[in-house]
Amino acid sequence: MAEITDNPADPTLEAPAEKESVGGGIKALLPFARPARGTLLFSALIAVGSAVLGLVPYWVIYRCAIVLMETPDNISQLMTLALVALAAIIGRFVLSGVSTIIAHNAAFEIQYGIRIKLAEHMARLPLGFVNKKRSGELKKVMADDVERLELFLAHAVPDLVTALVTFFGLLGWMLWVDWRMALAVFGLVVPAFGMIAYAMRRAGHHMGEFKSTQGEMNAAIVELIRGMPVVKTFNRDADEVRSTEDVIRRYVTVVRDYSLEFLPFGTAFYVLLGANILLILPVGGWLWSTGSLNTADLLFFLIVGLGALGTLVTLLFLFANLSHISSGGKLVTEILEQSALASADTQNSLPTDTTISVNNVSFKYEDQWVLRNVSFEASPGTLTALVGPSGAGKSTLAALIGRFWDPQEGELQLGGIPLPQIHPDTLSQYVSMVLQETFLFDTSVLENLKVGKATATQAEIENAAQRAQIHDTICALPEGYETRIGEHGVRLSGGEQQRLTIARAILADTPVIVLDEATAFVDPENELALQQALSELVEGKTVIMIAHRLSTIAGADSILVVDAGEIVERGNHASLIEQAGLYRQMWDDFNAADAIALGGSR
């Protein structure tokens, strides 16, 4: 049977390889902008003012053309127009800066809210969701994709509003001056956008695969870096680097395929936007020669018309980024839409005592059953040990008690109250866990211990460390309790990391404690002292302990022997030895293995 770390990937949670579109992108991003829509609207209004001022220099050019045609020696009027253009340019950039700052502040608030929401939601998801995701994939969503959302929201509002106002302002103005020349200026816009729309639609089906392979590449690189000690130890440099290289090559292939499909028609878009002179010049020359277009208007269209389509390039990049960024928004939404564990948000029943009751519990990972009809009760002040072969389901059972998952069948209770009816914050005040795989944050020893109790005093922290036999080790560190211990506690040995997590549990002082191989890495000289500390810790509490070192649980009040997901034997050490079943066999094997001296004489 699979243990807690063997949860297979859930294919329903993979990034969908679907075709991205601008409409779908807008729909995916709107929910993230909703909390700051008032601020973003204010930014948009200021951006409108900036865009209007941006049109003033075009008007100045038009007026200068008229002045030069009618009164070429009117220098004072030309200087006045120049000052108007200068004032408009300064005002435009001032308003643009203000709009951008407001949009950035709103986007930062949205970014902060999304990350907090993601973190809080993931804390309430079944552990299997986190276990199945490689750390690089989650990092990409929480860091990279959310960062792109912020960049888009911060720039999209002022840039999009400015581009749209400028484009439609120039279009309306040119239509007012001469509708025939306006058609010449904008005549190639429709086919140009037809080309870019087709290019995006043609290459858009790669976007889902792009996001997926990008996540795989990030995860592979993070995994290679974290696993470098193992890679070096077993001389697997070439193999592991080649494996990572294969993932990178797949990512490059997807990007290349996208680019090759986009490039021909995307290039046609730029060519058409820059080719409007081919319409402006002949149409304008013909109208001027026939006397239906004056010289000033012709100069206006020749000068302004050539740059009038530049704003469309801005719109292009915004739409291209929109379809790209929206897939990241969909991944964020996908996590937020994952079903959390049932929560007692509207009610918070308090346990009457600390009795753990497991009633006919069955649990499976997808289609693989790990536990079958498990039932037992652990009373306050007792130590209940779970033993059995590797993969029997012991760690999964411990995780259910900590409510990392909910069982598909049966029920777990604390003090007569089903776990789903106890608010997660309340449950954490009753149950603490010391897992076989310790996790320490890349911060100081003090901060790692305060995870157990944020308000703990220095005296309480040192007392917990002394009881866990780690205080002297901490004091010997360069900065004592303020020493930064590195990612995953790499500056500490395995036994020291284990004792630090035990000190954290002692500090939490919850009435229910789950120990999953808590003494696995304890060195021989500290084993007795640590056992004494654990004995003191469990006094008056409900303790569930998983152990492969059977000597540590020989004095347990109740020993449950788990095999193939079922409890096959139960009793205390003496009674189980007399039964001469699986526990007796494990005990004999343990003593025989303990007597073997590796590398000794035979």
Side-chain angles (χ1 to χ4, degrees):
M1 288 289 181
E3 281 287 338
I4 190 173
T5 56
D6 295 332
N7 186 21
D10 183 350
T12 63
L13 300 180
E14 295 299 324
E18 60 184 28
K19 184 180 292 186
E20 301 294 342
S21 65
V22 173
I26 294 175
K27 184 178 180 181
L29 293 175
L30 280 178
F32 299 108
R34 190 172 295 119
R37 55 189 173 188
T39 306
L40 291 174
L41 178 60
F42 183 49
S43 173
L45 292 175
I46 296 178
V48 169
S50 172
V52 170
L53 290 178
L55 294 174
V56 171
Y58 294 105
W59 176 81
V60 168
I61 292 174
Y62 180 52
R63 292 300 307 165
C64 285
I66 294 175
V67 170
L68 290 172
M69 292 297 102
E70 296 177 353
T71 54
D73 56 346
N74 193 344
I75 304 299
S76 61
Q77 189 173 357
L78 292 175
M79 290 298 298
T80 301
L81 289 171
L83 292 175
V84 170
L86 177 62
I89 291 171
I90 294 174
R92 173 198 173 189
F93 283 105
V94 169
L95 291 182
S96 177
V98 172
S99 175
T100 301
I101 290 173
I102 294 173
H104 269 84
N105 287 335
F108 287 140
E109 289 296 324
I110 293 171
Q111 180 189 56
Y112 172 80
I114 292 173
R115 285 184 171 145
I116 293 298
K117 193 173 182 179
L118 278 171
E120 291 177 344
H121 187 68
M122 283 199 291
R124 301 185 188 280
L125 289 176
L127 186 63
F129 174 83
V130 179
N131 277 355
K132 84 154 199 73
K133 289 283 188 181
R134 299 170 79 179
S135 55
E137 293 177 296
L138 291 177
K139 176 263 179 187
K140 175 186 164 297
V141 175
M142 292 196 68
D144 301 344
D145 290 334
V146 175
E147 188 72 23
R148 290 191 187 99
L149 288 174
E150 182 274 323
L151 288 173
F152 176 80
L153 293 171
H155 292 279
V157 171
D159 291 352
L160 183 61
V161 169
T162 300
L164 289 174
V165 170
T166 301
F167 174 76
F168 286 106
L170 286 174
L171 175 61
W173 186 14
M174 289 183 179
L175 288 171
W176 177 74
V177 173
D178 192 293
W179 66 269
R180 298 164 300 179
M181 288 299 298
L183 291 180
V185 172
F186 293 96
L188 295 178
V189 169
V190 173
F193 266 86
M195 288 293 178
I196 197 64
Y198 180 73
M200 295 175 68
R201 185 168 62 251
R202 185 169 182 253
H205 67 92
H206 289 292
M207 194 55 64
E209 188 180 4
F210 167 78
K211 302 299 290 186
S212 176
T213 53
Q214 187 181 52
E216 291 176 8
M217 180 180 67
N218 289 341
I221 293 173
V222 170
E223 192 172 78
L224 177 64
I225 294 172
R226 285 185 173 178
M228 194 57 68
V230 177
V231 171
K232 292 289 186 183
T233 299
F234 293 97
N235 194 27
R236 300 284 295 177
D237 304 56
D239 294 333
E240 293 302 322
V241 170
R242 190 179 301 111
S243 176
T244 304
E245 182 183 1
D246 290 341
V247 176
I248 296 174
R249 285 187 182 278
R250 287 201 299 272
Y251 171 74
V252 171
T253 299
V254 172
V255 174
R256 182 195 62 199
D257 292 344
Y258 175 88
S259 300
L260 290 177
E261 291 192 30
F262 178 87
L263 190 61
F265 297 95
T267 302
F269 168 80
Y270 289 101
V271 171
L272 290 172
L273 286 186
N276 63 350
I277 186 65
L278 298 177
L279 293 178
I280 295 174
L281 195 56
V283 172
W286 178 74
L287 293 175
W288 179 80
S289 65
T290 59
S292 60
L293 182 69
N294 62 48
T295 303
D297 288 348
L298 175 61
L299 291 175
F300 169 75
F301 281 103
L302 286 174
I303 296 172
V304 177
L306 292 178
L309 304 185
T311 55
L312 296 180
V313 177
T314 301
L315 291 174
L316 165 69
F317 282 113
L318 284 172
F319 287 143
N321 288 334
L322 181 65
S323 62
H324 177 70
I325 294 170
S326 67
S327 59
K330 290 176 183 177
L331 290 176
V332 173
T333 302
E334 183 184 326
I335 293 178
L336 294 176
E337 289 179 349
Q338 290 298 316
S339 298
L341 292 169
S343 176
D345 291 329
T346 57
Q347 58 177 333
N348 185 20
S349 302
L350 297 178
T352 56
D353 59 23
T354 59
T355 300
I356 294 290
S357 300
V358 180
N359 304 315
N360 297 316
V361 164
S362 296
F363 179 80
K364 64 179 178 179
Y365 299 118
E366 293 186 336
D367 297 328
Q368 183 179 14
W369 287 98
V370 182
L371 297 173
R372 284 281 195 180
N373 300 319
V374 174
S375 296
F376 70 89
E377 186 173 285
S379 302
T382 63
L383 169 60
T384 301
L386 302 176
V387 301
S390 296
K394 304 182 300 296
S395 292
T396 299
L397 184 55
L400 290 175
I401 295 172
R403 206 171 175 235
F404 291 170
W405 291 283
D406 282 334
Q408 285 84 9
E409 299 176 8
E411 184 179 68
L412 290 95
Q413 296 180 347
L414 173 62
I417 306 298
L419 294 189
Q421 295 182 20
I422 304 174
H423 194 278
D425 294 339
T426 301
L427 185 63
S428 67
Q429 297 172 10
Y430 278 83
V431 181
S432 61
M433 303 187 70
V434 179
L435 302 176
Q436 181 177 0
E437 295 185 6
T438 61
F439 184 88
L440 299 173
F441 295 95
D442 184 13
T443 183
S444 68
V445 173
L446 183 67
E447 291 302 317
N448 270 283
L449 288 173
K450 280 191 172 183
V451 171
K453 183 180 179 182
T455 59
T457 64
Q458 185 67 29
E460 290 175 322
I461 290 171
E462 292 184 9
N463 177 261
Q466 288 171 348
R467 292 166 62 188
Q469 307 302 311
I470 191 65
H471 174 71
D472 293 341
T473 301
I474 296 172
C475 292
L477 294 173
E479 298 177 51
Y481 281 83
E482 297 297 333
T483 302
R484 195 183 187 99
I485 58 176
E487 189 174 4
H488 299 295
V490 294
R491 295 184 182 178
L492 302 177
S493 68
E496 290 167 346
Q497 292 177 28
Q498 197 76 62
R499 280 180 279 154
L500 197 62
T501 59
I502 291 173
R504 193 158 61 187
I506 293 174
L507 196 62
D509 195 28
T510 58
V512 178
I513 299 176
V514 180
L515 305 172
D516 186 354
E517 282 295 326
T519 60
F521 299 110
V522 177
D523 10 74
E525 65 268 24
N526 287 315
E527 183 173 359
L528 177 60
L530 187 57
Q531 289 297 333
Q532 292 172 343
L534 288 174
S535 297
E536 180 183 350
L537 171 65
V538 303
E539 184 176 356
K541 298 180 180 180
T542 306
V543 179
I544 309 294
M545 182 175 183
I546 299 173
H548 288 101
R549 189 179 299 178
L550 297 185
S551 60
T552 61
I553 52 91
D557 299 283
S558 177
I559 300 174
L560 306 177
V561 183
V562 184
D563 187 26
E566 299 180 358
I567 297 178
V568 296
E569 298 176 26
R570 65 181 74 206
N572 57 29
H573 175 73
S575 65
L576 290 173
I577 291 294
E578 291 180 0
Q579 290 180 29
L582 178 58
Y583 182 81
R584 172 64 178 271
Q585 179 184 338
M586 293 173 58
W587 179 256
D588 292 341
D589 291 343
F590 169 76
N591 287 322
D594 201 41
I596 297 175
L598 293 179
S601 59
R602 297 183 182 276

